[in-house]
Amino acid sequence: MLFGKTECGWVAQAPAKVNLFLRVIARRPDGYHELETVMAKVSLWDSLHFTPLAEDRVVLNVSLAYPRSLGGMELGAVEDNLVFRATQLLREETGCRRGVSITLTKRIPAAAGLGGGSSDAATTLRALNALWELGLTTGQLCVLAARLGSDVPFFVADAAWALCTGRGEELEPLPVRGCLSLVIARPQNGLSTAAVYRNCRPEPDRQSVTMLQEVLHQGPIHRAAYSLLNSLQAPAEMLSIDVRELKDRFERLPLIRHQLTGSGSAYFGICRDARQARRIARQLRHEGVPWVVAVSTRA
Ligand code: C5P
C-alpha cells in the first residue's frame, strides 16, 4: 500500500493482483476450497482518500474510472462495499468511534479475478489503523482481513509476491527479483467467484507449486511463464463464452504464456518486455476488447 498525506486527509493506493498459479486441491467441509496459489501485485491501482470527520459516522463515495459499459460493474449498496465493511469491522473490533469520509476511485474492474475489492478492503484496514492510531499489528489486521474475504490478507501484507494456502488467507511472502511485463484484458462480462468455484474440479494430483517457487527463487523471472497453472480456468471457460473468446485471441498473440487470473473473467499474458506489453495492449484495444492494460509486477 502506498500511503501519503494530502491537504484534507490521506490518500492510499490499492494494487490489483494476478494469480500465476492457482491449484484447487480439495473441497472443504465449510464450503470453501483448499488452495495453493501464487499471487503477485501489479501496477494498476484503485485510489482511496480518507478525510477525518468530527462526528461519529462513516461516509463512502465510489466513482468508476473505467467504462461503465463493462458488464458486472454496477455499484451495489454502500453497506455491501468491502471498504465500508472493513471500516465498520475495525470500529466494532476496537471500539473506535471516530468518523471518516472515504472516496474510492475504482480503476480495477470488478468480477475480474484481479482482487480489486479485496485490495480496497485491506488498504482501508491499514490506512485507518494508522490514521486512528489503533496500534493493531499486521498479524491482527490479517485476522480481521480473513473475515472479509480469502484474498484480503495478501493485500494487508507488504509482500509484492506470496504463496497463499488454506482458502487463500495463509500467506508466505516470496522474495522475487525482477518484474514481469503483462498485458491484462477483461471481457465484456464478469464472472461470479462463487459460481466458478462451484463448477471447479479439485486437482490434487496436478503439478505442485514447488517448481514455480524454485524458478522465482533462482530467476530469471521470465522462466516463471512456463510454470503457470489455474484450476479455475476450465470452469471459467465452461461458464463464459467471453473467456473462451479471449483465450483464443491471446493464443494468436506473440506472448510467452497466458492464462486466466483467479476466478476470472480477466485474462493475462506474459510479454517479453514493457514495450511489447504496450504494443499488444494497443492491438487488443484496436480489435475492440473492452478493457485492456499493460502493467508490470512489483519488485
Ligand atoms: O473468500 P471470498 O469471500 O472472497 O470467497 C467468495 C466465494 O468464493 C466463497 O463464498 C466461495 O464460494 C468461493 N471460494 C471457495 N474457496 C476459496 C475461496 C473462495 O470456494 N478458497
Side-chain angles (χ1 to χ4, degrees):
M1 178 186 74
L2 296 170
F3 197 41
K5 208 162 171 16
T6 67
E7 271 169 29
C8 55
W10 294 80
V11 61
Q13 288 188 308
K17 58 88 177 159
V18 292
N19 300 74
L20 278 97
F21 188 99
L22 193 163
R23 186 165 68 104
V24 177
I25 300 170
R27 222 178 283 277
R28 307 188 341 176
D30 63 4
Y32 283 89
H33 291 79
E34 199 66 20
L35 303 181
E36 202 173 50
T37 182
V38 170
M39 298 202 265
K41 292 174 185 157
V42 300
S43 56
L44 167 70
W45 291 277
D46 285 345
S47 305
L48 293 107
H49 286 81
F50 300 89
T51 309
L53 291 179
E55 64 273 38
D56 170 7
R57 69 195 177 103
V58 176
V59 179
L60 173 64
N61 289 297
V62 186
S63 66
L64 301 184
Y66 47 64
R68 275 169 196 272
S69 56
L70 282 189
M73 305 303 203
E74 304 74 23
L75 294 177
V78 161
E79 296 73 34
D80 296 334
N81 188 291
L82 274 174
V83 166
F84 190 83
R85 287 174 48 206
T87 308
Q88 294 299 33
L89 182 63
L90 205 54
R91 281 159 50 96
E92 276 159 33
E93 288 297 313
T94 62
C96 174
R97 285 287 156 264
R98 290 167 73 174
V100 65
S101 169
I102 306 172
T103 303
L104 166 63
T105 307
K106 288 201 70 66
R107 288 182 200 86
I108 308 169
L114 293 169
S118 299
S119 187
D120 297 342
T123 301
T124 302
L125 290 177
R126 283 191 58 175
L128 292 180
N129 184 45
L131 206 61
W132 290 340
E133 298 173 331
L134 299 173
L136 297 182
T137 62
T138 301
Q140 288 170 317
L141 289 176
C142 280
V143 172
L144 295 184
R147 286 168 58 184
L148 295 165
S150 308
D151 283 353
V152 185
F154 169 64
F155 292 104
V156 167
D158 270 324
W161 290 73
L163 166 63
C164 300
T165 52
R167 64 181 165 91
E169 86 286 24
E170 291 167 25
L171 60 119
E172 180 191 323
L174 296 175
V176 173
R177 260 175 293 139
C179 295
L180 288 174
S181 295
L182 309 174
V183 59
I184 311 179
R186 158 71 153 75
Q188 184 60 37
N189 295 301
L191 269 170
S192 143
T193 303
V196 174
Y197 272 104
R198 251 195 322 276
N199 285 279
C200 79
R201 215 179 31 172
E203 303 186 296
D205 302 323
R206 280 293 284 279
Q207 83 197 49
S208 93
V209 75
T210 321
M211 203 162 80
L212 177 59
Q213 263 180 296
E214 279 169 16
V215 168
L216 290 174
H217 183 67
Q218 287 163 8
I221 192 169
H222 279 93
R223 283 182 49 222
Y226 302 100
S227 304
L228 300 185
L229 180 94
N230 189 347
S231 300
L232 299 179
Q233 173 135 3
E237 280 182 37
M238 190 191 77
L239 291 170
S240 164
I241 187 171
D242 275 9
V243 170
R244 297 199 294 277
E245 279 175 4
L246 209 48
K247 181 186 170 187
D248 288 346
R249 218 181 265 284
F250 272 60
E251 289 288 352
R252 294 194 289 269
L253 294 168
L255 296 159
I256 305 179
R257 284 284 193 276
H258 54 86
Q259 79 174 12
L260 189 81
T261 174
S263 55
S265 60
Y267 213 88
F268 70 95
I270 300 183
C271 302
R272 268 197 319 275
D273 52 35
R275 214 167 131 197
Q276 190 200 25
R278 285 195 298 272
R279 192 173 54 70
I280 292 178
R282 273 198 303 276
Q283 180 180 338
L284 287 169
R285 275 184 217 114
H286 185 70
E287 289 176 13
V289 176
W291 182 89
V292 187
V293 285
V295 299
S296 63
T297 58
R298 296 171 58 202

